[in-house]
Amino acid sequence: MEKQVPKPSPTNTLPNPLPASLPQQLTVYPHLPAADLAPLILSSEWIICRSGYSTLMDLAALHKNAILIPTPGQTEQEYLAQQLAAQGLATTFAQAKFSLSESIAQAIKLSADSRASKELPFFNTKILQGLLLALES
């Protein structure tokens, strides 16, 4: 029997208010234990997340598409997100300018793009390794 992951309760608070009506296929989880998070990531088409090294490596290994929101002031996250977006391999938004509807629209456009359709899901690890080497120099 498949374990049911609980939906977030109305008492959960998020840093930015969500739109009153979310698309039916979108579910928001402010936090989940790892055992509950893994099957959700595996079954998701797009992941909205930070652009930290470990997160990007996990997404690359899992072949998941991402909408990246770098943590403000984290220059490595900002750099990785900008480089991946510039190459058409992910979509990114600054936290202060994040719009759920705009991010979904950009993700749909990225998926439809001919270059992205060859590279997605997400991006290949050789590209990420090159970006990380550039950070080290």
Side-chain angles (χ1 to χ4, degrees):
M1 184 167 136
E2 188 174 315
K3 183 177 178 181
Q4 295 294 318
V5 178
K7 297 248 183 205
S9 72
T11 59
N12 286 339
T13 58
L14 296 173
N16 297 319
L18 293 168
S21 63
L22 293 173
Q24 182 178 357
Q25 63 274 41
L26 179 70
T27 306
V28 175
Y29 294 94
H31 176 67
L32 288 173
D36 294 336
L37 181 61
L40 286 172
I41 288 176
L42 291 172
S43 67
S44 298
E45 185 176 344
W46 283 88
I47 309 297
I48 300 174
C49 59
R50 298 294 187 186
S51 52
Y53 172 80
S54 296
T55 299
L56 296 178
M57 295 308 292
D58 289 343
L59 294 174
L62 297 171
H63 301 280
K64 290 297 171 181
N65 302 314
I67 298 169
L68 303 173
I69 307 169
T71 301
Q74 295 292 318
T75 55
E76 178 182 315
Q77 287 191 24
E78 292 166 347
Y79 174 80
L80 291 171
Q82 289 168 357
Q83 293 301 309
L84 293 170
Q87 294 180 46
L89 300 173
T91 185
T92 185
F93 285 86
Q95 180 173 305
K97 296 181 180 181
F98 180 74
S99 159
L100 182 60
S101 58
E102 191 176 331
S103 68
I104 291 170
Q106 282 194 16
I108 291 167
K109 183 179 183 298
L110 181 64
S111 293
D113 180 51
S114 60
R115 176 172 177 208
S117 64
K118 293 178 197 167
E119 301 279 347
L120 293 175
F122 200 50
F123 53 89
N124 93 33
T125 53
K126 289 180 184 177
I127 294 170
L128 180 59
Q129 289 168 349
L131 292 172
L132 294 173
L133 286 174
L135 279 173
E136 292 173 3
S137 57

